[in-house]
Amino acid sequence: MTPTQADANGASRPSLQSRLTELHRETPGSRGYAISVIEDGRLTSAAAGEAAPDHTPMTALTPFRTASVTKTFTAAAILRLHEIGMLDLDAPVDRLISPQHAQILKDEGYDIGSITVRHLLMHSAGLNDHAQTQAFLNAALGDPEKRWTRSEQLTFLKEHTDPLGKPGESFAYSDTGYVLLGEVIERTTGEDLSAAMRRLNRWDELGLGGLYWEGETPPYGSLAQAHQWFQGVDILSIDGSIDAFGGGGLIASTADLALAFDARFASRLFDQSATLEL
């Protein structure tokens, strides 16, 4: 099923639409909402409010920057590489990333030879998080047109944080860990991250052609991307490279996201049902 084959306006679920409209009315500071639900194989959606300052209506097919929801797709791509025999989840990452990036982490005191792919997946590598430093936020908001690189983001980690502990000792959310996983995907496949994510997550096979990566040309017929705000700033004014290396980067509608998650947990993405239990 694709969003165009499903009910993307919520007409089959009046209660869902009614509740979302009520929620929007109760939160006058909000711009717009969209929600998509799959139940018994059927997609039902609702939307309320606006997707842009020009009063473009929000819909369940309106694409937006999914930010850290991207991490679930990065993790799925890593698991696909594992099940096709291209990647060992318990392999140390020091040889799976560039020597330059490995050295940045070593210089900061990380035991990169003991950090495994599994540690990165589970946020248990002892890595801090460059994206949550005030310095990084100031840089992002202060120079919204800047084109970021993965190396610059790892350097921010080195210059503004300290290691949190030894690998496997504790859990701590780290966007940086998924930036590294994005690099693992690229170097393992020999593909750009956008192409590898599309292939490994089987977007085209699953009829999810509406999903696309930051920096790609939107698919033909896509609606204009929704405006989103962070600390009062419209993030569409910020270059997408700020979050495009695996911790973020996916652009999708709620309808496509719902269908992608349904495929993942209904055994249509992975070759082996046990993959999700690894």
Side-chain angles (χ1 to χ4, degrees):
M1 179 187 295
T2 68
T4 54
Q5 295 170 326
D7 180 350
N9 295 313
S12 64
R13 185 73 65 84
S15 61
L16 183 63
Q17 182 63 57
S18 176
R19 181 65 189 100
L20 200 64
T21 300
E22 180 184 0
L23 177 63
H24 183 245
R25 186 169 54 248
E26 292 172 349
T27 53
S30 66
R31 310 283 181 142
Y33 292 96
I35 186 172
S36 295
V37 178
I38 291 183
E39 184 176 9
D40 297 327
R42 182 180 183 183
L43 174 68
T44 304
S45 301
E50 300 171 348
D54 65 1
H55 308 302
T56 299
M58 180 69 78
T59 79
L61 298 181
T62 300
F64 61 95
R65 286 176 170 168
T66 67
S68 286
V69 174
T70 302
K71 290 181 174 64
T72 66
F73 291 85
T74 302
I78 290 287
L79 292 178
R80 289 269 292 119
L81 286 172
H82 174 79
E83 71 174 10
I84 62 178
M86 292 186 66
L87 186 64
D88 180 358
L89 297 185
D90 295 310
V93 299
D94 56 346
R95 296 185 180 181
L96 297 173
I97 60 176
S98 71
Q100 174 195 1
H101 294 161
Q103 191 62 52
I104 290 173
L105 295 172
K106 289 178 182 177
D107 289 346
E108 183 55 17
Y110 288 102
D111 183 3
I112 191 69
S114 297
I115 296 175
T116 67
V117 174
R118 191 185 300 273
H119 287 140
L120 296 180
L121 283 171
M122 299 180 67
H123 296 281
S124 62
L127 279 173
N128 215 311
D129 188 350
H130 75 280
Q132 294 188 51
T133 63
Q134 191 59 50
F136 187 71
L137 293 177
N138 290 344
L141 298 178
D143 187 4
E145 296 182 0
K146 175 179 172 57
R147 294 287 296 173
W148 289 84
T149 67
R150 183 181 281 117
S151 299
E152 289 174 322
Q153 296 188 357
L154 291 175
T155 299
F156 253 85
L157 178 83
K158 174 184 174 181
E159 294 179 347
H160 298 282
T161 71
D162 296 309
L164 298 177
K166 295 180 180 180
E169 281 189 338
S170 61
F171 294 95
Y173 186 87
S174 176
D175 195 76
T176 313
Y178 272 70
V179 169
L180 292 174
L181 286 174
E183 184 175 16
V184 170
I185 292 170
E186 286 188 329
R187 290 174 67 86
T188 300
T189 63
E191 298 174 286
D192 290 339
L193 186 57
S194 58
M197 291 288 283
R198 176 173 297 277
R199 179 176 61 82
L200 293 169
N201 280 282
R202 292 175 160 161
W203 292 342
D204 295 329
E205 292 177 47
L206 294 169
L208 300 173
L211 297 170
Y212 61 102
W213 201 256
E214 193 70 59
E216 289 186 320
T217 300
Y220 178 77
S222 293
L223 297 177
Q225 192 174 322
H227 290 246
Q228 298 164 268
W229 280 262
F230 174 75
Q231 295 186 359
V233 176
D234 183 351
I235 66 171
L236 278 189
S237 68
I238 300 176
D239 191 274
S241 61
I242 194 68
D243 188 25
F245 300 107
L250 176 67
I251 299 173
S253 68
T254 62
D256 269 324
L257 283 178
L259 291 166
F261 275 96
D262 184 61
R264 189 178 304 166
F265 295 110
S267 301
R268 295 196 303 278
L269 173 60
F270 298 108
D271 294 330
Q272 304 168 29
S273 60
T275 296
L276 284 172
E277 302 173 8
L278 291 171

PDB file of all heavy atoms in Angstrom, residues 163-177:
ATOM      1  N   PRO A 163      34.634  12.334  27.079  1.00  0.00           N
ATOM      2  CA  PRO A 163      34.044  10.988  27.082  1.00  0.00           C
ATOM      3  C   PRO A 163      33.200  10.750  28.326  1.00  0.00           C
ATOM      4  O   PRO A 163      33.489  11.283  29.407  1.00  0.00           O
ATOM      5  CB  PRO A 163      35.280  10.082  27.058  1.00  0.00           C
ATOM      6  CG  PRO A 163      36.353  10.912  26.424  1.00  0.00           C
ATOM      7  CD  PRO A 163      36.100  12.309  26.910  1.00  0.00           C
ATOM      8  N   LEU A 164      32.157   9.955  28.175  1.00  0.00           N
ATOM      9  CA  LEU A 164      31.239   9.685  29.281  1.00  0.00           C
ATOM     10  C   LEU A 164      31.591   8.433  30.067  1.00  0.00           C
ATOM     11  O   LEU A 164      31.101   8.236  31.171  1.00  0.00           O
ATOM     12  CB  LEU A 164      29.806   9.551  28.744  1.00  0.00           C
ATOM     13  CG  LEU A 164      29.240  10.795  28.068  1.00  0.00           C
ATOM     14  CD1 LEU A 164      27.849  10.507  27.517  1.00  0.00           C
ATOM     15  CD2 LEU A 164      29.195  11.973  29.031  1.00  0.00           C
ATOM     16  N   GLY A 165      32.428   7.571  29.496  1.00  0.00           N
ATOM     17  CA  GLY A 165      32.782   6.341  30.180  1.00  0.00           C
ATOM     18  C   GLY A 165      33.255   5.298  29.200  1.00  0.00           C
ATOM     19  O   GLY A 165      33.402   5.558  27.994  1.00  0.00           O
ATOM     20  N   LYS A 166      33.480   4.115  29.705  1.00  0.00           N
ATOM     21  CA  LYS A 166      33.944   3.022  28.863  1.00  0.00           C
ATOM     22  C   LYS A 166      32.782   2.440  28.050  1.00  0.00           C
ATOM     23  O   LYS A 166      31.632   2.478  28.494  1.00  0.00           O
ATOM     24  CB  LYS A 166      34.572   1.927  29.717  1.00  0.00           C
ATOM     25  CG  LYS A 166      35.849   2.358  30.434  1.00  0.00           C
ATOM     26  CD  LYS A 166      36.404   1.214  31.264  1.00  0.00           C
ATOM     27  CE  LYS A 166      37.676   1.642  31.992  1.00  0.00           C
ATOM     28  NZ  LYS A 166      38.227   0.522  32.823  1.00  0.00           N
ATOM     29  N   PRO A 167      33.069   1.878  26.874  1.00  0.00           N
ATOM     30  CA  PRO A 167      32.010   1.255  26.066  1.00  0.00           C
ATOM     31  C   PRO A 167      31.291   0.161  26.847  1.00  0.00           C
ATOM     32  O   PRO A 167      31.921  -0.662  27.511  1.00  0.00           O
ATOM     33  CB  PRO A 167      32.774   0.672  24.879  1.00  0.00           C
ATOM     34  CG  PRO A 167      34.016   1.490  24.790  1.00  0.00           C
ATOM     35  CD  PRO A 167      34.379   1.842  26.192  1.00  0.00           C
ATOM     36  N   GLY A 168      29.979   0.187  26.767  1.00  0.00           N
ATOM     37  CA  GLY A 168      29.174  -0.851  27.398  1.00  0.00           C
ATOM     38  C   GLY A 168      28.830  -0.606  28.853  1.00  0.00           C
ATOM     39  O   GLY A 168      28.073  -1.372  29.446  1.00  0.00           O
ATOM     40  N   GLU A 169      29.364   0.464  29.454  1.00  0.00           N
ATOM     41  CA  GLU A 169      29.116   0.716  30.873  1.00  0.00           C
ATOM     42  C   GLU A 169      27.730   1.296  31.144  1.00  0.00           C
ATOM     43  O   GLU A 169      27.110   0.987  32.160  1.00  0.00           O
ATOM     44  CB  GLU A 169      30.166   1.678  31.433  1.00  0.00           C
ATOM     45  CG  GLU A 169      31.498   1.046  31.741  1.00  0.00           C
ATOM     46  CD  GLU A 169      32.425   1.987  32.479  1.00  0.00           C
ATOM     47  OE1 GLU A 169      32.229   3.223  32.399  1.00  0.00           O
ATOM     48  OE2 GLU A 169      33.354   1.493  33.139  1.00  0.00           O
ATOM     49  N   SER A 170      27.247   2.154  30.253  1.00  0.00           N
ATOM     50  CA  SER A 170      25.974   2.831  30.500  1.00  0.00           C
ATOM     51  C   SER A 170      25.389   3.294  29.179  1.00  0.00           C
ATOM     52  O   SER A 170      26.052   3.256  28.135  1.00  0.00           O
ATOM     53  CB  SER A 170      26.170   4.017  31.445  1.00  0.00           C
ATOM     54  OG  SER A 170      27.049   4.965  30.859  1.00  0.00           O
ATOM     55  N   PHE A 171      24.151   3.747  29.251  1.00  0.00           N
ATOM     56  CA  PHE A 171      23.457   4.265  28.084  1.00  0.00           C
ATOM     57  C   PHE A 171      23.430   5.795  28.149  1.00  0.00           C
ATOM     58  O   PHE A 171      23.129   6.361  29.196  1.00  0.00           O
ATOM     59  CB  PHE A 171      22.025   3.727  28.008  1.00  0.00           C
ATOM     60  CG  PHE A 171      21.952   2.251  27.764  1.00  0.00           C
ATOM     61  CD1 PHE A 171      21.828   1.377  28.821  1.00  0.00           C
ATOM     62  CD2 PHE A 171      22.024   1.736  26.476  1.00  0.00           C
ATOM     63  CE1 PHE A 171      21.764   0.010  28.616  1.00  0.00           C
ATOM     64  CE2 PHE A 171      21.959   0.372  26.257  1.00  0.00           C
ATOM     65  CZ  PHE A 171      21.831  -0.485  27.325  1.00  0.00           C
ATOM     66  N   ALA A 172      23.728   6.445  27.028  1.00  0.00           N
ATOM     67  CA  ALA A 172      23.651   7.901  26.922  1.00  0.00           C
ATOM     68  C   ALA A 172      23.373   8.258  25.468  1.00  0.00           C
ATOM     69  O   ALA A 172      24.148   7.893  24.577  1.00  0.00           O
ATOM     70  CB  ALA A 172      24.949   8.548  27.390  1.00  0.00           C
ATOM     71  N   TYR A 173      22.282   8.936  25.242  1.00  0.00           N
ATOM     72  CA  TYR A 173      21.885   9.281  23.878  1.00  0.00           C
ATOM     73  C   TYR A 173      22.988  10.079  23.191  1.00  0.00           C
ATOM     74  O   TYR A 173      23.505  11.051  23.752  1.00  0.00           O
ATOM     75  CB  TYR A 173      20.596  10.102  23.900  1.00  0.00           C
ATOM     76  CG  TYR A 173      20.036  10.393  22.533  1.00  0.00           C
ATOM     77  CD1 TYR A 173      19.181   9.495  21.925  1.00  0.00           C
ATOM     78  CD2 TYR A 173      20.358  11.571  21.867  1.00  0.00           C
ATOM     79  CE1 TYR A 173      18.664   9.758  20.662  1.00  0.00           C
ATOM     80  CE2 TYR A 173      19.850  11.839  20.613  1.00  0.00           C
ATOM     81  CZ  TYR A 173      18.998  10.923  20.017  1.00  0.00           C
ATOM     82  OH  TYR A 173      18.486  11.187  18.772  1.00  0.00           O
ATOM     83  N   SER A 174      23.335   9.683  21.976  1.00  0.00           N
ATOM     84  CA  SER A 174      24.415  10.348  21.255  1.00  0.00           C
ATOM     85  C   SER A 174      24.107  10.437  19.773  1.00  0.00           C
ATOM     86  O   SER A 174      24.117   9.433  19.061  1.00  0.00           O
ATOM     87  CB  SER A 174      25.746   9.605  21.451  1.00  0.00           C
ATOM     88  OG  SER A 174      26.763  10.195  20.672  1.00  0.00           O
ATOM     89  N   ASP A 175      23.843  11.645  19.316  1.00  0.00           N
ATOM     90  CA  ASP A 175      23.689  11.864  17.885  1.00  0.00           C
ATOM     91  C   ASP A 175      24.995  11.538  17.170  1.00  0.00           C
ATOM     92  O   ASP A 175      24.994  11.015  16.050  1.00  0.00           O
ATOM     93  CB  ASP A 175      23.304  13.322  17.632  1.00  0.00           C
ATOM     94  CG  ASP A 175      22.772  13.555  16.229  1.00  0.00           C
ATOM     95  OD1 ASP A 175      21.615  13.189  15.982  1.00  0.00           O
ATOM     96  OD2 ASP A 175      23.513  14.086  15.396  1.00  0.00           O
ATOM     97  N   THR A 176      26.111  11.818  17.836  1.00  0.00           N
ATOM     98  CA  THR A 176      27.418  11.561  17.240  1.00  0.00           C
ATOM     99  C   THR A 176      27.592  10.086  16.894  1.00  0.00           C
ATOM    100  O   THR A 176      28.192   9.741  15.864  1.00  0.00           O
ATOM    101  CB  THR A 176      28.541  11.997  18.199  1.00  0.00           C
ATOM    102  OG1 THR A 176      28.264  13.306  18.702  1.00  0.00           O
ATOM    103  CG2 THR A 176      29.884  11.986  17.499  1.00  0.00           C
ATOM    104  N   GLY A 177      27.069   9.212  17.736  1.00  0.00           N
ATOM    105  CA  GLY A 177      27.180   7.780  17.468  1.00  0.00           C
ATOM    106  C   GLY A 177      26.529   7.399  16.161  1.00  0.00           C
ATOM    107  O   GLY A 177      27.044   6.544  15.415  1.00  0.00           O
TER     108      GLY A 177
END
